[in-house]
Amino acid sequence: MIDTVIVSGGMIQKDFALDFIKKIEKEKKGEKLLLLAADRGLDFFRETGLTPDIADGDFDSLSKEGKAYLESLSGTEIVKLNPEKDDTDTQSTLDLAIEKGAKNILILGATGGRLDHFIGNMGLLQYGRKKGVHVILADAQNYICFVENGHIIRKDTQFGKYVSFFAAGETVEGLTLKGFKYPLDHYCLTPDNCGFTVSNEIQEKQAQVLYEKGSLLMIMSRDLK
Protein backbone atom coordinates (compact mmCIF):
# COMPACT_ATOMS: atom_id res chain seq x y z
CA MET A 1 0.00 0.00 0.00
CA ILE A 2 1.22 3.51 -0.83
CA ASP A 3 2.61 5.26 2.26
CA THR A 4 4.02 8.43 0.66
CA VAL A 5 2.94 10.86 -2.06
CA ILE A 6 5.34 13.29 -3.72
CA VAL A 7 3.85 16.08 -5.81
CA SER A 8 6.39 17.28 -8.34
CA GLY A 9 6.41 20.55 -10.26
CA GLY A 10 5.43 19.26 -13.70
CA MET A 11 2.04 19.28 -15.37
CA ILE A 12 -0.66 17.92 -13.08
CA GLN A 13 -4.39 17.38 -13.36
CA LYS A 14 -5.50 18.79 -10.01
CA ASP A 15 -8.88 17.06 -9.78
CA PHE A 16 -7.40 13.65 -10.57
CA ALA A 17 -4.47 14.12 -8.19
CA LEU A 18 -6.66 15.34 -5.32
CA ASP A 19 -9.13 12.46 -5.78
CA PHE A 20 -6.28 9.95 -5.97
CA ILE A 21 -4.75 11.22 -2.72
CA LYS A 22 -8.12 11.11 -0.96
CA LYS A 23 -8.69 7.56 -2.22
CA ILE A 24 -5.32 6.45 -0.82
CA GLU A 25 -6.06 8.11 2.53
CA LYS A 26 -9.40 6.31 2.71
CA GLU A 27 -7.76 2.95 1.98
CA LYS A 28 -5.21 3.56 4.75
CA LYS A 29 -8.05 3.78 7.29
CA GLY A 30 -6.51 6.38 9.53
CA GLU A 31 -2.85 5.50 9.00
CA LYS A 32 -0.68 8.51 8.21
CA LEU A 33 -0.01 9.28 4.54
CA LEU A 34 3.19 11.32 4.17
CA LEU A 35 2.77 14.22 1.71
CA LEU A 36 5.78 15.95 0.17
CA ALA A 37 6.00 18.91 -2.20
CA ALA A 38 8.91 18.93 -4.62
CA ASP A 39 9.65 22.59 -5.35
CA ARG A 40 6.91 23.93 -7.68
CA GLY A 41 4.70 21.04 -6.59
CA LEU A 42 3.98 23.33 -3.66
CA ASP A 43 1.52 25.20 -5.90
CA PHE A 44 -0.70 22.10 -5.99
CA PHE A 45 -1.05 22.22 -2.21
CA ARG A 46 -1.66 25.96 -2.23
CA GLU A 47 -4.42 25.58 -4.82
CA THR A 48 -6.17 22.53 -3.32
CA GLY A 49 -6.12 23.25 0.41
CA LEU A 50 -3.97 20.25 1.32
CA THR A 51 -0.93 20.85 3.52
CA PRO A 52 2.38 19.11 2.81
CA ASP A 53 4.28 17.49 5.65
CA ILE A 54 7.54 18.42 3.91
CA ALA A 55 8.40 20.98 1.21
CA ASP A 56 11.72 20.32 -0.52
CA GLY A 57 13.44 22.30 -3.29
CA ASP A 58 15.40 25.39 -4.23
CA PHE A 59 12.07 27.20 -4.76
CA ASP A 60 13.62 29.49 -7.39
CA SER A 61 10.70 28.96 -9.78
CA LEU A 62 7.90 29.62 -7.31
CA SER A 63 5.46 32.39 -8.12
CA LYS A 64 5.03 35.35 -5.78
CA GLU A 65 1.92 33.64 -4.40
CA GLY A 66 3.83 30.38 -3.99
CA LYS A 67 6.59 32.06 -2.01
CA ALA A 68 4.04 33.74 0.25
CA TYR A 69 2.34 30.38 0.80
CA LEU A 70 5.70 28.77 1.64
CA GLU A 71 6.36 31.41 4.27
CA SER A 72 2.91 30.86 5.77
CA LEU A 73 3.43 27.13 6.43
CA SER A 74 3.95 26.70 10.17
CA GLY A 75 3.65 22.93 10.57
CA THR A 76 5.56 21.93 7.44
CA GLU A 77 9.21 20.89 7.43
CA ILE A 78 11.00 23.13 4.89
CA VAL A 79 14.15 21.80 3.22
CA LYS A 80 15.86 24.52 1.18
CA LEU A 81 18.25 23.27 -1.52
CA ASN A 82 21.07 24.97 -3.36
CA PRO A 83 19.92 25.68 -6.96
CA GLU A 84 23.29 24.38 -8.21
CA LYS A 85 23.08 20.66 -7.48
CA ASP A 86 23.66 17.29 -9.14
CA ASP A 87 20.09 16.00 -9.07
CA THR A 88 16.57 17.23 -9.76
CA ASP A 89 14.21 18.56 -7.12
CA THR A 90 12.08 15.44 -7.53
CA GLN A 91 15.03 13.09 -6.98
CA SER A 92 16.08 15.09 -3.95
CA THR A 93 12.56 14.81 -2.54
CA LEU A 94 12.52 11.08 -3.27
CA ASP A 95 15.79 10.67 -1.34
CA LEU A 96 14.28 12.63 1.53
CA ALA A 97 11.19 10.40 1.54
CA ILE A 98 13.40 7.31 1.66
CA GLU A 99 15.31 8.82 4.59
CA LYS A 100 11.97 9.26 6.38
CA GLY A 101 11.25 5.54 5.95
CA ALA A 102 8.99 5.54 2.89
CA LYS A 103 8.65 2.19 1.13
CA ASN A 104 5.85 2.65 -1.43
CA ILE A 105 6.05 6.07 -3.04
CA LEU A 106 3.64 7.63 -5.53
CA ILE A 107 4.91 10.60 -7.57
CA LEU A 108 2.36 12.93 -9.16
CA GLY A 109 3.16 15.75 -11.57
CA ALA A 110 6.14 13.91 -13.03
CA THR A 111 4.91 12.77 -16.45
CA GLY A 112 3.82 15.84 -18.41
CA GLY A 113 5.60 18.80 -19.93
CA ARG A 114 9.28 18.65 -20.84
CA LEU A 115 10.44 15.33 -22.23
CA ASP A 116 13.87 15.53 -20.56
CA HIS A 117 12.20 15.85 -17.16
CA PHE A 118 9.88 12.95 -17.94
CA ILE A 119 12.75 10.66 -18.96
CA GLY A 120 14.64 11.70 -15.84
CA ASN A 121 11.61 10.91 -13.70
CA MET A 122 11.23 7.52 -15.39
CA GLY A 123 14.76 6.80 -14.19
CA LEU A 124 13.54 7.28 -10.62
CA LEU A 125 11.64 4.00 -10.91
CA GLN A 126 14.87 2.04 -11.26
CA TYR A 127 16.64 4.37 -8.83
CA GLY A 128 14.09 3.58 -6.17
CA ARG A 129 14.20 -0.13 -6.94
CA LYS A 130 17.95 -0.20 -6.31
CA LYS A 131 17.37 1.52 -2.97
CA GLY A 132 14.79 -1.08 -1.98
CA VAL A 133 11.65 1.03 -2.37
CA HIS A 134 8.73 0.84 -4.80
CA VAL A 135 8.18 4.00 -6.86
CA ILE A 136 5.10 4.74 -8.98
CA LEU A 137 4.52 7.57 -11.46
CA ALA A 138 0.90 8.39 -12.17
CA ASP A 139 -1.29 10.86 -14.01
CA ALA A 140 -4.92 10.86 -15.15
CA GLN A 141 -4.17 8.33 -17.91
CA ASN A 142 -1.20 6.28 -16.71
CA TYR A 143 0.09 4.29 -13.74
CA ILE A 144 3.75 3.35 -14.26
CA CYS A 145 5.94 1.12 -12.11
CA PHE A 146 8.23 -1.90 -12.03
CA VAL A 147 6.61 -5.19 -11.04
CA GLU A 148 8.29 -8.15 -9.43
CA ASN A 149 7.83 -11.84 -10.18
CA GLY A 150 4.45 -13.08 -8.94
CA HIS A 151 2.71 -9.70 -9.11
CA ILE A 152 -1.10 -9.90 -8.89
CA ILE A 153 -3.51 -7.39 -10.48
CA ARG A 154 -7.17 -7.47 -9.47
CA LYS A 155 -9.55 -6.53 -12.25
CA ASP A 156 -11.90 -4.68 -9.90
CA THR A 157 -9.15 -2.37 -8.61
CA GLN A 158 -6.89 -1.99 -11.65
CA PHE A 159 -6.02 1.45 -13.00
CA GLY A 160 -7.63 1.82 -16.42
CA LYS A 161 -8.49 -0.79 -19.03
CA TYR A 162 -5.12 -1.53 -20.59
CA VAL A 163 -1.99 -3.16 -19.20
CA SER A 164 1.32 -3.00 -21.10
CA PHE A 165 4.73 -4.47 -20.29
CA PHE A 166 8.24 -3.48 -21.36
CA ALA A 167 11.70 -4.89 -20.78
CA ALA A 168 13.65 -2.11 -19.10
CA GLY A 169 17.30 -2.13 -20.13
CA GLU A 170 17.68 -5.90 -20.16
CA THR A 171 15.82 -8.91 -21.50
CA VAL A 172 12.99 -10.25 -19.36
CA GLU A 173 13.26 -14.02 -19.46
CA GLY A 174 10.42 -16.49 -18.92
CA LEU A 175 7.60 -13.91 -18.97
CA THR A 176 4.28 -15.60 -18.22
CA LEU A 177 0.97 -13.71 -18.14
CA LYS A 178 -2.06 -15.46 -16.64
CA GLY A 179 -5.63 -14.16 -16.59
CA PHE A 180 -5.05 -11.79 -19.50
CA LYS A 181 -6.85 -11.58 -22.83
CA TYR A 182 -3.50 -12.29 -24.48
CA PRO A 183 -1.64 -14.75 -22.21
CA LEU A 184 2.04 -15.58 -22.48
CA ASP A 185 3.98 -18.67 -21.46
CA HIS A 186 7.71 -18.29 -20.74
CA TYR A 187 8.20 -15.58 -23.37
CA CYS A 188 11.55 -13.83 -23.84
CA LEU A 189 10.78 -10.08 -23.93
CA THR A 190 13.62 -7.93 -25.27
CA PRO A 191 13.93 -4.13 -24.91
CA ASP A 192 13.52 -3.63 -28.67
CA ASN A 193 10.34 -5.72 -28.82
CA CYS A 194 8.33 -2.68 -27.86
CA GLY A 195 4.93 -3.49 -29.41
CA PHE A 196 4.24 -7.13 -28.63
CA THR A 197 3.08 -6.63 -25.02
CA VAL A 198 1.22 -3.34 -25.42
CA SER A 199 -2.49 -2.82 -24.60
CA ASN A 200 -3.28 -6.18 -23.04
CA GLU A 201 -6.45 -6.54 -20.95
CA ILE A 202 -7.34 -8.46 -17.81
CA GLN A 203 -9.98 -11.06 -18.59
CA GLU A 204 -10.40 -12.91 -15.29
CA LYS A 205 -11.04 -11.66 -11.74
CA GLN A 206 -7.31 -11.33 -11.25
CA ALA A 207 -4.21 -11.59 -13.39
CA GLN A 208 -0.73 -12.78 -12.49
CA VAL A 209 2.66 -11.73 -13.85
CA LEU A 210 5.55 -14.18 -13.61
CA TYR A 211 9.10 -14.01 -14.92
CA GLU A 212 12.51 -15.51 -14.21
CA LYS A 213 14.97 -12.70 -14.81
CA GLY A 214 15.16 -9.04 -15.82
CA SER A 215 13.45 -5.72 -15.05
CA LEU A 216 9.80 -5.55 -16.06
CA LEU A 217 8.09 -2.18 -16.47
CA MET A 218 4.30 -2.11 -16.30
CA ILE A 219 2.04 0.69 -17.54
CA MET A 220 -1.65 0.54 -16.74
CA SER A 221 -3.49 3.10 -18.82
CA ARG A 222 -6.85 4.42 -19.91
CA ASP A 223 -8.23 6.70 -22.58
CA LEU A 224 -9.68 10.01 -21.49
CA LYS A 225 -13.30 10.53 -22.46
Side-chain angles (χ1 to χ4, degrees):
M1 182 180 291
I2 293 168
D3 55 43
T4 302
V5 175
I6 295 172
V7 180
S8 186
M11 295 175 63
I12 189 168
Q13 299 92 339
K14 283 186 290 186
D15 290 343
F16 158 77
L18 186 59
D19 288 345
F20 204 177
I21 290 172
K22 289 181 177 179
K23 179 182 177 182
I24 295 168
E25 289 180 325
K26 184 177 180 180
E27 290 172 348
K28 291 182 71 63
K29 298 179 180 179
E31 291 183 26
K32 174 62 179 175
L33 177 66
L34 187 66
L35 300 176
L36 295 92
D39 201 70
R40 231 175 10 169
L42 197 63
D43 283 333
F44 168 79
F45 291 93
R46 177 176 62 84
E47 294 167 359
T48 59
L50 291 178
T51 302
D53 297 294
I54 303 171
D56 177 71
D58 54 43
F59 306 118
D60 57 350
S61 59
L62 279 183
S63 63
K64 182 179 179 180
E65 294 80 8
K67 291 178 180 178
Y69 173 71
L70 179 64
E71 293 175 359
S72 74
L73 293 172
S74 58
T76 298
E77 179 182 348
I78 309 297
V79 180
K80 187 80 183 312
L81 303 176
N82 188 326
E84 296 181 4
K85 55 189 184 301
D86 295 328
D87 59 3
T88 64
D89 291 318
T90 305
Q91 182 176 340
S92 173
T93 306
L94 176 60
D95 282 331
L96 183 57
I98 294 171
E99 289 177 13
K100 297 291 185 180
K103 294 297 182 183
N104 292 284
I105 305 163
L106 171 70
I107 305 178
L108 301 169
T111 58
R114 284 174 49 178
L115 188 57
D116 56 343
H117 283 179
F118 173 58
I119 292 174
N121 289 332
M122 284 289 290
L124 296 179
L125 301 176
Q126 191 70 277
Y127 179 80
R129 194 179 188 212
K130 289 181 178 179
K131 287 184 171 288
V133 302
H134 184 59
V135 177
I136 304 155
L137 306 183
D139 58 32
Q141 287 187 269
N142 308 285
Y143 184 102
I144 310 166
C145 64
F146 280 106
V147 291
E148 305 302 328
N149 175 43
H151 185 72
I152 299 291
I153 312 169
R154 288 174 48 193
K155 185 175 177 64
D156 62 347
T157 59
Q158 75 176 104
F159 183 101
K161 178 180 179 181
Y162 304 106
V163 187
S164 301
F165 298 97
F166 302 92
E170 58 182 320
T171 298
V172 175
E173 299 179 7
L175 178 60
T176 297
L177 301 179
K178 298 180 179 180
F180 287 88
K181 183 177 181 179
Y182 305 108
L184 287 178
D185 185 18
H186 290 86
Y187 183 76
C188 185
L189 182 64
T190 59
D192 61 342
N193 190 0
C194 52
F196 187 73
T197 49
V198 171
S199 296
N200 209 332
E201 299 177 31
I202 297 176
Q203 200 164 45
E204 300 179 11
K205 288 185 178 181
Q206 66 178 31
Q208 186 176 27
V209 182
L210 301 161
Y211 62 96
E212 298 166 0
K213 184 180 178 182
S215 295
L216 186 65
L217 182 70
M218 179 183 73
I219 302 178
M220 293 192 288
S221 57
R222 60 192 177 199
D223 295 318
L224 290 181
K225 295 180 181 179

